[in-house]
Amino acid sequence: MESAIDTHLKCPRTLSRRVPDDYQPPFPMWVARADASLQQVVMAYLGVQYDDPERRGDALAALRTIVGTFDGPDGPVHHDLTHHVDNRDHHNLMVVAYWADPAAYGRWLRSEAVAGWWESDDRLHDGLGHFREVVAPRVDQFETLYAFQEQLPGVGAVMGGISGDINEHGYWGSMRERFPISQTDWMQSNGGLTVVEGDPAAGGRVVVRGHDNIALIRSGQEWIEAGEEERSLYLDEIQPTLEAGMDFLRDNGESVGCYSNRYVHSIDLDGNPIDESYNIGHWSSLDKLERWAESHPTHLRIFTTFFRVAEGLDKLRLYHEVSVSSGSEQLFEYVNCHPGTGMLRDARVASNA
Amino acid sequence: MESAIDTHLKCPRTLSRRVPDDYQPPFPMWVARADASLQQVVMAYLGVQYDDPERRGDALAALRTIVGTFDGPDGPVHHDLTHHVDNRDHHNLMVVAYWADPAAYGRWLRSEAVAGWWESDDRLHDGLGHFREVVAPRVDQFETLYAFQEQLPGVGAVMGGISGDINEHGYWGSMRERFPISQTDWMQSNGGLTVVEGDPAAGGRVVVRGHDNIALIRSGQEWIEAGEEERSLYLDEIQPTLEAGMDFLRDNGESVGCYSNRYVHSIDLDGNPIDESYNIGHWSSLDKLERWAESHPTHLRIFTTFFRVAEGLDKLRLYHEVSVSSGSEQLFEYVNCHPGTGMLRDARVASNA
């Protein structure tokens, strides 16, 4: 049994845990481990949006253009692709890309292939929406949790290693306690979202400024290798409840502090679905996410189902990664996206009056 | 908004809360307040057990004998009466009595009417089982929570006052955080239950020694004044789930750290039922109670139902009180009770070998 907080990230606590030192989790879970040289990661959600299904080919081409920029020394360490239809019936293709080196990400972002493409007036007129939502948490600002130990998805693929059984799971508050920074910091929000360029209602280019400690959760399900029994467990028991909870957050997020919630399905480069899905939720703060998770019936049902089956899981892969980031390490940019996209919905237009 | 921890019980924290300072509960709740002169209370669960329904008259007479000893200056400040059938089909009548002055309780306990009656050989031969389970928590060792503000039951009746809206509720961990001692102490168990006199399997007189920080919860429901709608909410939605959870704890408590769980129905001195019930649970430690409450489907369903309706509650009265006590401030004594009674089930017979 080891701590979710890696040895080199331990520090003298000013904030205590919720559970006593002799706490024993009810089943084993694992976290990703990285070399101590890893300081900060970049998580970039790069999206293409389209309304008319006939635009699908163009959108997939745009997605492939983005993925094409990943070749070369400054590209991300890892990426994957998704599709989802949002609550305004728009289709969204996304690639999430992970860098282990913010400097490489910066060079990639400023490269002609990326900056030139993004800044081109073609983006305003190609009939597609485009967005990029990027956060760069330091290693003390994120945590992971896996019910398996191999071929970690998401940020785990960047980190490269896996822990032994960890102690901090199985109780409400354990997510927070897996964050190294929770030893000394409450991760509190210091404001709301602000439109700093453009007008979401008008379309065109819009830039939103975030704030400290926006929390981002990626919570995933991979049933691609699952046998009959686990497949049925997932599709019949977990997925319907999961969808109900994710729909609630998508449609009512503002009431609970969830800025954006996208339940996405993995795809390949041609847009074909893969038996993997995940949810991407942006929250105004970690404690808002905690409150929802621990009190909403749909999430509690997912939680109790997981408790019931966790020890018997074989090929069904459930995991999550949660980060907070400094306001200065966030980028939320949109081109011709509908005003309910991502951070746009809850962003206030700064008044110049 | 005020803290559940009364001003005179605040102290510099060595343990932090789970939620940030700006936490706002989703609906109002209240705690009992006492004068600063209150130092320690005594909670005495005094029981009469019988197998054969024909013994009911004798058992009620014994209950009335106990209540009769409450007259006079050393009697308890408050008491109430209950009945329940346990999982060995024995009937149990209980009076729970609360003292605000442990010295008065001590004088009552040593009085001829009480000590003489308890120690008499008649108790061994009156065809009834008898038990007394007494804990005496200091004021920093218990907390309360009410969804109403008047005519507080249980220990609230002893304390006499009510707070304003309190901050520490609506999240897992808030129960712990309402304990004044949680500011500096984990309330950890230091052992298990031990039979120190007699043999539960043989009947007769048995004494069990407890240990530090046994947690005792009384969790109550009063629907006596409820109108049609609330009555239906309680009887149709809350009660069936509550019963399922309480049955689980009664029958499987050992697996989760619950020594004893009694879901009891209030009665008058003649044994007639009143539309009030409560659960009395003894736990090996507060954290075991926390783990069960926050992860068991039945309790989560109660919790989410309460969340849903809390603000609309009118006459349906839901509340709880939870204490921990020092091993030296506990008394667990049994006469001719079946070996599944109270602390007997999980108590280990001390080996003299």
Side-chain angles (χ1 to χ4, degrees), chain A residues 15-20 22 171-173 186 188 291 294 300 304, chain B residues 15-20 22 171-173 186 188 294 300 304:
Chain A
L15 301 176
S16 43
R17 291 183 62 187
R18 193 194 148 204
V19 296
D22 63 357
Y171 56 95
W172 302 110
W186 284 103
Q188 285 186 272
R291 293 297 85 72
E294 71 192 38
L300 291 175
T304 54
Chain B
L15 301 176
S16 43
R17 291 184 62 187
R18 194 194 146 202
V19 296
D22 63 357
Y171 56 95
W172 301 111
W186 285 103
Q188 286 186 270
E294 71 191 38
L300 292 175
T304 54

PDB file of all heavy atoms in Angstrom, chain A residues 15-20 22 171-173 186 188 291 294 300 304, chain B residues 15-20 22 171-173 186 188 294 300 304:
ATOM      1  N   LEU A  15      -2.724  21.026   5.603  1.00  0.00           N
ATOM      2  CA  LEU A  15      -4.117  20.560   5.571  1.00  0.00           C
ATOM      3  C   LEU A  15      -4.109  19.049   5.775  1.00  0.00           C
ATOM      4  O   LEU A  15      -3.301  18.338   5.182  1.00  0.00           O
ATOM      5  CB  LEU A  15      -4.759  20.899   4.217  1.00  0.00           C
ATOM      6  CG  LEU A  15      -4.794  22.385   3.850  1.00  0.00           C
ATOM      7  CD1 LEU A  15      -5.359  22.585   2.445  1.00  0.00           C
ATOM      8  CD2 LEU A  15      -5.609  23.165   4.862  1.00  0.00           C
ATOM      9  N   SER A  16      -5.016  18.585   6.607  1.00  0.00           N
ATOM     10  CA  SER A  16      -5.017  17.162   6.923  1.00  0.00           C
ATOM     11  C   SER A  16      -5.920  16.382   5.984  1.00  0.00           C
ATOM     12  O   SER A  16      -6.766  16.947   5.294  1.00  0.00           O
ATOM     13  CB  SER A  16      -5.436  16.943   8.380  1.00  0.00           C
ATOM     14  OG  SER A  16      -6.517  17.770   8.717  1.00  0.00           O
ATOM     15  N   ARG A  17      -5.729  15.074   5.975  1.00  0.00           N
ATOM     16  CA  ARG A  17      -6.611  14.206   5.226  1.00  0.00           C
ATOM     17  C   ARG A  17      -7.952  14.110   5.934  1.00  0.00           C
ATOM     18  O   ARG A  17      -8.108  14.556   7.070  1.00  0.00           O
ATOM     19  CB  ARG A  17      -5.995  12.809   5.094  1.00  0.00           C
ATOM     20  CG  ARG A  17      -4.774  12.767   4.195  1.00  0.00           C
ATOM     21  CD  ARG A  17      -4.263  11.343   4.048  1.00  0.00           C
ATOM     22  NE  ARG A  17      -5.267  10.478   3.410  1.00  0.00           N
ATOM     23  CZ  ARG A  17      -5.131   9.159   3.289  1.00  0.00           C
ATOM     24  NH1 ARG A  17      -4.051   8.556   3.772  1.00  0.00           N
ATOM     25  NH2 ARG A  17      -6.064   8.443   2.681  1.00  0.00           N
ATOM     26  N   ARG A  18      -8.910  13.477   5.253  1.00  0.00           N
ATOM     27  CA  ARG A  18     -10.226  13.288   5.857  1.00  0.00           C
ATOM     28  C   ARG A  18     -10.267  12.008   6.680  1.00  0.00           C
ATOM     29  O   ARG A  18     -11.096  11.881   7.578  1.00  0.00           O
ATOM     30  CB  ARG A  18     -11.278  13.203   4.738  1.00  0.00           C
ATOM     31  CG  ARG A  18     -12.674  13.317   5.261  1.00  0.00           C
ATOM     32  CD  ARG A  18     -13.756  12.922   4.272  1.00  0.00           C
ATOM     33  NE  ARG A  18     -14.845  12.361   5.049  1.00  0.00           N
ATOM     34  CZ  ARG A  18     -15.734  11.523   4.612  1.00  0.00           C
ATOM     35  NH1 ARG A  18     -15.724  11.136   3.356  1.00  0.00           N
ATOM     36  NH2 ARG A  18     -16.665  11.047   5.398  1.00  0.00           N
ATOM     37  N   VAL A  19      -9.445  11.051   6.339  1.00  0.00           N
ATOM     38  CA  VAL A  19      -9.517   9.731   6.984  1.00  0.00           C
ATOM     39  C   VAL A  19      -8.275   9.493   7.841  1.00  0.00           C
ATOM     40  O   VAL A  19      -7.207  10.044   7.563  1.00  0.00           O
ATOM     41  CB  VAL A  19      -9.658   8.602   5.935  1.00  0.00           C
ATOM     42  CG1 VAL A  19     -10.962   8.740   5.169  1.00  0.00           C
ATOM     43  CG2 VAL A  19      -8.468   8.578   4.989  1.00  0.00           C
ATOM     44  N   PRO A  20      -8.420   8.680   8.865  1.00  0.00           N
ATOM     45  CA  PRO A  20      -7.260   8.422   9.741  1.00  0.00           C
ATOM     46  C   PRO A  20      -6.182   7.609   9.020  1.00  0.00           C
ATOM     47  O   PRO A  20      -6.422   7.009   7.976  1.00  0.00           O
ATOM     48  CB  PRO A  20      -7.854   7.636  10.908  1.00  0.00           C
ATOM     49  CG  PRO A  20      -9.254   7.284  10.556  1.00  0.00           C
ATOM     50  CD  PRO A  20      -9.656   8.033   9.327  1.00  0.00           C
ATOM     51  N   ASP A  22      -4.921   4.831   9.554  1.00  0.00           N
ATOM     52  CA  ASP A  22      -5.090   3.380   9.392  1.00  0.00           C
ATOM     53  C   ASP A  22      -6.190   3.039   8.380  1.00  0.00           C
ATOM     54  O   ASP A  22      -6.616   1.891   8.298  1.00  0.00           O
ATOM     55  CB  ASP A  22      -5.377   2.721  10.751  1.00  0.00           C
ATOM     56  CG  ASP A  22      -6.688   3.220  11.372  1.00  0.00           C
ATOM     57  OD1 ASP A  22      -7.346   4.113  10.776  1.00  0.00           O
ATOM     58  OD2 ASP A  22      -7.049   2.710  12.449  1.00  0.00           O
ATOM     59  N   TYR A 171     -13.382   6.713  -0.721  1.00  0.00           N
ATOM     60  CA  TYR A 171     -14.170   7.583   0.168  1.00  0.00           C
ATOM     61  C   TYR A 171     -14.276   8.950  -0.494  1.00  0.00           C
ATOM     62  O   TYR A 171     -13.430   9.337  -1.299  1.00  0.00           O
ATOM     63  CB  TYR A 171     -13.514   7.708   1.557  1.00  0.00           C
ATOM     64  CG  TYR A 171     -12.093   8.192   1.520  1.00  0.00           C
ATOM     65  CD1 TYR A 171     -11.787   9.540   1.690  1.00  0.00           C
ATOM     66  CD2 TYR A 171     -11.050   7.307   1.288  1.00  0.00           C
ATOM     67  CE1 TYR A 171     -10.478   9.989   1.644  1.00  0.00           C
ATOM     68  CE2 TYR A 171      -9.740   7.747   1.224  1.00  0.00           C
ATOM     69  CZ  TYR A 171      -9.461   9.080   1.400  1.00  0.00           C
ATOM     70  OH  TYR A 171      -8.163   9.518   1.327  1.00  0.00           O
ATOM     71  N   TRP A 172     -15.325   9.674  -0.175  1.00  0.00           N
ATOM     72  CA  TRP A 172     -15.504  11.019  -0.716  1.00  0.00           C
ATOM     73  C   TRP A 172     -14.436  11.924  -0.121  1.00  0.00           C
ATOM     74  O   TRP A 172     -14.283  12.001   1.080  1.00  0.00           O
ATOM     75  CB  TRP A 172     -16.905  11.534  -0.417  1.00  0.00           C
ATOM     76  CG  TRP A 172     -17.956  10.624  -0.972  1.00  0.00           C
ATOM     77  CD1 TRP A 172     -18.804   9.816  -0.273  1.00  0.00           C
ATOM     78  CD2 TRP A 172     -18.239  10.399  -2.361  1.00  0.00           C
ATOM     79  NE1 TRP A 172     -19.599   9.112  -1.147  1.00  0.00           N
ATOM     80  CE2 TRP A 172     -19.279   9.452  -2.427  1.00  0.00           C
ATOM     81  CE3 TRP A 172     -17.715  10.910  -3.557  1.00  0.00           C
ATOM     82  CZ2 TRP A 172     -19.807   9.001  -3.637  1.00  0.00           C
ATOM     83  CZ3 TRP A 172     -18.243  10.467  -4.750  1.00  0.00           C
ATOM     84  CH2 TRP A 172     -19.275   9.534  -4.792  1.00  0.00           C
ATOM     85  N   GLY A 173     -13.737  12.573  -1.001  1.00  0.00           N
ATOM     86  CA  GLY A 173     -12.613  13.395  -0.553  1.00  0.00           C
ATOM     87  C   GLY A 173     -11.289  12.808  -1.008  1.00  0.00           C
ATOM     88  O   GLY A 173     -10.255  13.481  -0.957  1.00  0.00           O
ATOM     89  N   TRP A 186      -6.142  24.692  -0.816  1.00  0.00           N
ATOM     90  CA  TRP A 186      -7.551  24.346  -0.988  1.00  0.00           C
ATOM     91  C   TRP A 186      -7.984  24.332  -2.455  1.00  0.00           C
ATOM     92  O   TRP A 186      -9.127  23.947  -2.747  1.00  0.00           O
ATOM     93  CB  TRP A 186      -8.437  25.355  -0.244  1.00  0.00           C
ATOM     94  CG  TRP A 186      -8.471  25.154   1.227  1.00  0.00           C
ATOM     95  CD1 TRP A 186      -7.815  25.890   2.180  1.00  0.00           C
ATOM     96  CD2 TRP A 186      -9.210  24.157   1.939  1.00  0.00           C
ATOM     97  NE1 TRP A 186      -8.114  25.407   3.433  1.00  0.00           N
ATOM     98  CE2 TRP A 186      -8.960  24.344   3.316  1.00  0.00           C
ATOM     99  CE3 TRP A 186     -10.069  23.124   1.547  1.00  0.00           C
ATOM    100  CZ2 TRP A 186      -9.530  23.534   4.299  1.00  0.00           C
ATOM    101  CZ3 TRP A 186     -10.626  22.319   2.511  1.00  0.00           C
ATOM    102  CH2 TRP A 186     -10.365  22.522   3.874  1.00  0.00           C
ATOM    103  N   GLN A 188      -8.918  26.790  -4.421  1.00  0.00           N
ATOM    104  CA  GLN A 188     -10.150  27.557  -4.546  1.00  0.00           C
ATOM    105  C   GLN A 188     -10.174  28.412  -5.804  1.00  0.00           C
ATOM    106  O   GLN A 188      -9.141  28.927  -6.240  1.00  0.00           O
ATOM    107  CB  GLN A 188     -10.341  28.443  -3.315  1.00  0.00           C
ATOM    108  CG  GLN A 188     -10.782  27.642  -2.097  1.00  0.00           C
ATOM    109  CD  GLN A 188     -11.106  28.526  -0.919  1.00  0.00           C
ATOM    110  OE1 GLN A 188     -10.236  28.862  -0.121  1.00  0.00           O
ATOM    111  NE2 GLN A 188     -12.372  28.909  -0.816  1.00  0.00           N
ATOM    112  N   ARG A 291     -18.996  18.191  -4.653  1.00  0.00           N
ATOM    113  CA  ARG A 291     -20.377  18.246  -4.133  1.00  0.00           C
ATOM    114  C   ARG A 291     -21.324  17.514  -5.072  1.00  0.00           C
ATOM    115  O   ARG A 291     -22.191  16.770  -4.627  1.00  0.00           O
ATOM    116  CB  ARG A 291     -20.835  19.692  -3.970  1.00  0.00           C
ATOM    117  CG  ARG A 291     -20.150  20.535  -2.905  1.00  0.00           C
ATOM    118  CD  ARG A 291     -20.339  20.065  -1.482  1.00  0.00           C
ATOM    119  NE  ARG A 291     -19.366  19.048  -1.113  1.00  0.00           N
ATOM    120  CZ  ARG A 291     -18.075  19.273  -0.893  1.00  0.00           C
ATOM    121  NH1 ARG A 291     -17.569  20.479  -1.020  1.00  0.00           N
ATOM    122  NH2 ARG A 291     -17.273  18.288  -0.548  1.00  0.00           N
ATOM    123  N   GLU A 294     -20.771  13.603  -5.006  1.00  0.00           N
ATOM    124  CA  GLU A 294     -21.146  12.897  -3.780  1.00  0.00           C
ATOM    125  C   GLU A 294     -22.617  13.052  -3.409  1.00  0.00           C
ATOM    126  O   GLU A 294     -23.056  12.450  -2.435  1.00  0.00           O
ATOM    127  CB  GLU A 294     -20.261  13.339  -2.618  1.00  0.00           C
ATOM    128  CG  GLU A 294     -20.509  14.737  -2.101  1.00  0.00           C
ATOM    129  CD  GLU A 294     -19.409  15.197  -1.150  1.00  0.00           C
ATOM    130  OE1 GLU A 294     -18.240  14.867  -1.403  1.00  0.00           O
ATOM    131  OE2 GLU A 294     -19.714  15.868  -0.162  1.00  0.00           O
ATOM    132  N   LEU A 300     -24.113   8.777  -7.657  1.00  0.00           N
ATOM    133  CA  LEU A 300     -24.043   7.836  -6.540  1.00  0.00           C
ATOM    134  C   LEU A 300     -24.342   6.416  -7.020  1.00  0.00           C
ATOM    135  O   LEU A 300     -23.743   5.462  -6.535  1.00  0.00           O
ATOM    136  CB  LEU A 300     -25.006   8.259  -5.430  1.00  0.00           C
ATOM    137  CG  LEU A 300     -24.591   9.555  -4.717  1.00  0.00           C
ATOM    138  CD1 LEU A 300     -25.668   9.966  -3.709  1.00  0.00           C
ATOM    139  CD2 LEU A 300     -23.250   9.394  -4.010  1.00  0.00           C
ATOM    140  N   THR A 304     -21.910   3.312  -6.498  1.00  0.00           N
ATOM    141  CA  THR A 304     -22.224   2.073  -5.785  1.00  0.00           C
ATOM    142  C   THR A 304     -22.094   0.860  -6.711  1.00  0.00           C
ATOM    143  O   THR A 304     -21.674  -0.203  -6.267  1.00  0.00           O
ATOM    144  CB  THR A 304     -23.640   2.108  -5.167  1.00  0.00           C
ATOM    145  OG1 THR A 304     -24.592   2.430  -6.175  1.00  0.00           O
ATOM    146  CG2 THR A 304     -23.728   3.143  -4.065  1.00  0.00           C
TER     147      THR A 304
ATOM    148  N   LEU B  15      -6.303  19.693  12.907  1.00  0.00           N
ATOM    149  CA  LEU B  15      -6.856  18.953  11.771  1.00  0.00           C
ATOM    150  C   LEU B  15      -7.776  19.894  11.008  1.00  0.00           C
ATOM    151  O   LEU B  15      -8.563  20.627  11.613  1.00  0.00           O
ATOM    152  CB  LEU B  15      -7.650  17.734  12.269  1.00  0.00           C
ATOM    153  CG  LEU B  15      -6.857  16.724  13.100  1.00  0.00           C
ATOM    154  CD1 LEU B  15      -7.779  15.615  13.615  1.00  0.00           C
ATOM    155  CD2 LEU B  15      -5.724  16.117  12.282  1.00  0.00           C
ATOM    156  N   SER B  16      -7.675  19.871   9.690  1.00  0.00           N
ATOM    157  CA  SER B  16      -8.460  20.813   8.898  1.00  0.00           C
ATOM    158  C   SER B  16      -9.801  20.216   8.498  1.00  0.00           C
ATOM    159  O   SER B  16      -9.997  19.004   8.545  1.00  0.00           O
ATOM    160  CB  SER B  16      -7.667  21.250   7.664  1.00  0.00           C
ATOM    161  OG  SER B  16      -7.019  20.162   7.070  1.00  0.00           O
ATOM    162  N   ARG B  17     -10.689  21.091   8.089  1.00  0.00           N
ATOM    163  CA  ARG B  17     -11.957  20.638   7.552  1.00  0.00           C
ATOM    164  C   ARG B  17     -11.725  20.042   6.165  1.00  0.00           C
ATOM    165  O   ARG B  17     -10.660  20.146   5.586  1.00  0.00           O
ATOM    166  CB  ARG B  17     -12.939  21.799   7.454  1.00  0.00           C
ATOM    167  CG  ARG B  17     -13.403  22.313   8.805  1.00  0.00           C
ATOM    168  CD  ARG B  17     -14.450  23.407   8.640  1.00  0.00           C
ATOM    169  NE  ARG B  17     -15.653  22.907   7.966  1.00  0.00           N
ATOM    170  CZ  ARG B  17     -16.652  23.688   7.577  1.00  0.00           C
ATOM    171  NH1 ARG B  17     -16.594  25.001   7.761  1.00  0.00           N
ATOM    172  NH2 ARG B  17     -17.724  23.170   6.980  1.00  0.00           N
ATOM    173  N   ARG B  18     -12.811  19.423   5.641  1.00  0.00           N
ATOM    174  CA  ARG B  18     -12.718  18.862   4.294  1.00  0.00           C
ATOM    175  C   ARG B  18     -13.056  19.900   3.249  1.00  0.00           C
ATOM    176  O   ARG B  18     -12.638  19.772   2.099  1.00  0.00           O
ATOM    177  CB  ARG B  18     -13.712  17.689   4.185  1.00  0.00           C
ATOM    178  CG  ARG B  18     -13.476  16.836   2.979  1.00  0.00           C
ATOM    179  CD  ARG B  18     -14.611  15.893   2.656  1.00  0.00           C
ATOM    180  NE  ARG B  18     -14.654  15.779   1.213  1.00  0.00           N
ATOM    181  CZ  ARG B  18     -15.686  15.402   0.500  1.00  0.00           C
ATOM    182  NH1 ARG B  18     -16.791  15.059   1.106  1.00  0.00           N
ATOM    183  NH2 ARG B  18     -15.605  15.367  -0.803  1.00  0.00           N
ATOM    184  N   VAL B  19     -13.855  20.881   3.582  1.00  0.00           N
ATOM    185  CA  VAL B  19     -14.347  21.850   2.603  1.00  0.00           C
ATOM    186  C   VAL B  19     -13.734  23.219   2.866  1.00  0.00           C
ATOM    187  O   VAL B  19     -13.381  23.545   3.995  1.00  0.00           O
ATOM    188  CB  VAL B  19     -15.895  21.943   2.641  1.00  0.00           C
ATOM    189  CG1 VAL B  19     -16.521  20.625   2.231  1.00  0.00           C
ATOM    190  CG2 VAL B  19     -16.381  22.387   4.009  1.00  0.00           C
ATOM    191  N   PRO B  20     -13.628  24.023   1.814  1.00  0.00           N
ATOM    192  CA  PRO B  20     -13.032  25.356   1.994  1.00  0.00           C
ATOM    193  C   PRO B  20     -13.941  26.283   2.804  1.00  0.00           C
ATOM    194  O   PRO B  20     -15.120  26.008   2.990  1.00  0.00           O
ATOM    195  CB  PRO B  20     -12.862  25.879   0.563  1.00  0.00           C
ATOM    196  CG  PRO B  20     -13.578  24.943  -0.339  1.00  0.00           C
ATOM    197  CD  PRO B  20     -13.935  23.714   0.419  1.00  0.00           C
ATOM    198  N   ASP B  22     -15.347  28.976   2.181  1.00  0.00           N
ATOM    199  CA  ASP B  22     -16.512  29.590   1.537  1.00  0.00           C
ATOM    200  C   ASP B  22     -17.622  28.579   1.237  1.00  0.00           C
ATOM    201  O   ASP B  22     -18.561  28.885   0.505  1.00  0.00           O
ATOM    202  CB  ASP B  22     -16.101  30.326   0.264  1.00  0.00           C
ATOM    203  CG  ASP B  22     -15.510  29.381  -0.782  1.00  0.00           C
ATOM    204  OD1 ASP B  22     -15.378  28.162  -0.496  1.00  0.00           O
ATOM    205  OD2 ASP B  22     -15.184  29.850  -1.879  1.00  0.00           O
ATOM    206  N   TYR B 171     -22.391  17.529   3.161  1.00  0.00           N
ATOM    207  CA  TYR B 171     -21.275  16.860   2.485  1.00  0.00           C
ATOM    208  C   TYR B 171     -20.787  15.734   3.387  1.00  0.00           C
ATOM    209  O   TYR B 171     -20.933  15.780   4.609  1.00  0.00           O
ATOM    210  CB  TYR B 171     -20.130  17.835   2.171  1.00  0.00           C
ATOM    211  CG  TYR B 171     -19.596  18.567   3.382  1.00  0.00           C
ATOM    212  CD1 TYR B 171     -18.484  18.099   4.071  1.00  0.00           C
ATOM    213  CD2 TYR B 171     -20.232  19.710   3.855  1.00  0.00           C
ATOM    214  CE1 TYR B 171     -18.016  18.751   5.190  1.00  0.00           C
ATOM    215  CE2 TYR B 171     -19.770  20.367   4.980  1.00  0.00           C
ATOM    216  CZ  TYR B 171     -18.668  19.893   5.643  1.00  0.00           C
ATOM    217  OH  TYR B 171     -18.212  20.539   6.768  1.00  0.00           O
ATOM    218  N   TRP B 172     -20.200  14.721   2.777  1.00  0.00           N
ATOM    219  CA  TRP B 172     -19.662  13.609   3.557  1.00  0.00           C
ATOM    220  C   TRP B 172     -18.448  14.112   4.327  1.00  0.00           C
ATOM    221  O   TRP B 172     -17.527  14.665   3.750  1.00  0.00           O
ATOM    222  CB  TRP B 172     -19.289  12.444   2.641  1.00  0.00           C
ATOM    223  CG  TRP B 172     -20.476  11.971   1.863  1.00  0.00           C
ATOM    224  CD1 TRP B 172     -20.681  12.104   0.526  1.00  0.00           C
ATOM    225  CD2 TRP B 172     -21.637  11.312   2.391  1.00  0.00           C
ATOM    226  NE1 TRP B 172     -21.907  11.573   0.188  1.00  0.00           N
ATOM    227  CE2 TRP B 172     -22.514  11.084   1.302  1.00  0.00           C
ATOM    228  CE3 TRP B 172     -22.023  10.908   3.672  1.00  0.00           C
ATOM    229  CZ2 TRP B 172     -23.740  10.445   1.462  1.00  0.00           C
ATOM    230  CZ3 TRP B 172     -23.253  10.281   3.820  1.00  0.00           C
ATOM    231  CH2 TRP B 172     -24.094  10.051   2.736  1.00  0.00           C
ATOM    232  N   GLY B 173     -18.480  13.870   5.609  1.00  0.00           N
ATOM    233  CA  GLY B 173     -17.418  14.388   6.468  1.00  0.00           C
ATOM    234  C   GLY B 173     -17.955  15.470   7.391  1.00  0.00           C
ATOM    235  O   GLY B 173     -17.308  15.832   8.367  1.00  0.00           O
ATOM    236  N   TRP B 186      -8.651  12.493  15.882  1.00  0.00           N
ATOM    237  CA  TRP B 186      -9.236  11.613  14.872  1.00  0.00           C
ATOM    238  C   TRP B 186     -10.336  10.696  15.427  1.00  0.00           C
ATOM    239  O   TRP B 186     -10.982   9.988  14.668  1.00  0.00           O
ATOM    240  CB  TRP B 186      -8.154  10.730  14.255  1.00  0.00           C
ATOM    241  CG  TRP B 186      -7.267  11.441  13.285  1.00  0.00           C
ATOM    242  CD1 TRP B 186      -5.991  11.878  13.493  1.00  0.00           C
ATOM    243  CD2 TRP B 186      -7.597  11.794  11.934  1.00  0.00           C
ATOM    244  NE1 TRP B 186      -5.515  12.477  12.358  1.00  0.00           N
ATOM    245  CE2 TRP B 186      -6.467  12.433  11.389  1.00  0.00           C
ATOM    246  CE3 TRP B 186      -8.730  11.615  11.135  1.00  0.00           C
ATOM    247  CZ2 TRP B 186      -6.443  12.913  10.072  1.00  0.00           C
ATOM    248  CZ3 TRP B 186      -8.706  12.090   9.836  1.00  0.00           C
ATOM    249  CH2 TRP B 186      -7.569  12.734   9.312  1.00  0.00           C
ATOM    250  N   GLN B 188     -10.085   7.825  16.995  1.00  0.00           N
ATOM    251  CA  GLN B 188      -9.821   6.444  16.553  1.00  0.00           C
ATOM    252  C   GLN B 188     -10.092   5.422  17.644  1.00  0.00           C
ATOM    253  O   GLN B 188      -9.875   5.669  18.823  1.00  0.00           O
ATOM    254  CB  GLN B 188      -8.372   6.330  16.066  1.00  0.00           C
ATOM    255  CG  GLN B 188      -8.184   6.994  14.707  1.00  0.00           C
ATOM    256  CD  GLN B 188      -6.794   6.758  14.147  1.00  0.00           C
ATOM    257  OE1 GLN B 188      -5.885   7.538  14.400  1.00  0.00           O
ATOM    258  NE2 GLN B 188      -6.650   5.696  13.385  1.00  0.00           N
ATOM    259  N   GLU B 294     -21.582   6.585   3.533  1.00  0.00           N
ATOM    260  CA  GLU B 294     -21.289   7.238   2.259  1.00  0.00           C
ATOM    261  C   GLU B 294     -21.147   6.269   1.102  1.00  0.00           C
ATOM    262  O   GLU B 294     -20.969   6.700  -0.037  1.00  0.00           O
ATOM    263  CB  GLU B 294     -20.040   8.119   2.385  1.00  0.00           C
ATOM    264  CG  GLU B 294     -18.737   7.372   2.517  1.00  0.00           C
ATOM    265  CD  GLU B 294     -17.586   8.300   2.896  1.00  0.00           C
ATOM    266  OE1 GLU B 294     -17.809   9.217   3.703  1.00  0.00           O
ATOM    267  OE2 GLU B 294     -16.477   8.112   2.389  1.00  0.00           O
ATOM    268  N   LEU B 300     -27.326   5.827   0.735  1.00  0.00           N
ATOM    269  CA  LEU B 300     -27.207   6.880  -0.272  1.00  0.00           C
ATOM    270  C   LEU B 300     -28.584   7.273  -0.810  1.00  0.00           C
ATOM    271  O   LEU B 300     -28.835   8.430  -1.098  1.00  0.00           O
ATOM    272  CB  LEU B 300     -26.283   6.432  -1.405  1.00  0.00           C
ATOM    273  CG  LEU B 300     -24.817   6.296  -0.985  1.00  0.00           C
ATOM    274  CD1 LEU B 300     -23.995   5.730  -2.138  1.00  0.00           C
ATOM    275  CD2 LEU B 300     -24.243   7.641  -0.551  1.00  0.00           C
ATOM    276  N   THR B 304     -30.063  10.954  -0.747  1.00  0.00           N
ATOM    277  CA  THR B 304     -30.490  11.734  -1.911  1.00  0.00           C
ATOM    278  C   THR B 304     -31.970  12.125  -1.796  1.00  0.00           C
ATOM    279  O   THR B 304     -32.349  13.210  -2.212  1.00  0.00           O
ATOM    280  CB  THR B 304     -30.253  10.977  -3.235  1.00  0.00           C
ATOM    281  OG1 THR B 304     -30.879   9.701  -3.168  1.00  0.00           O
ATOM    282  CG2 THR B 304     -28.783  10.779  -3.488  1.00  0.00           C
TER     283      THR B 304
END
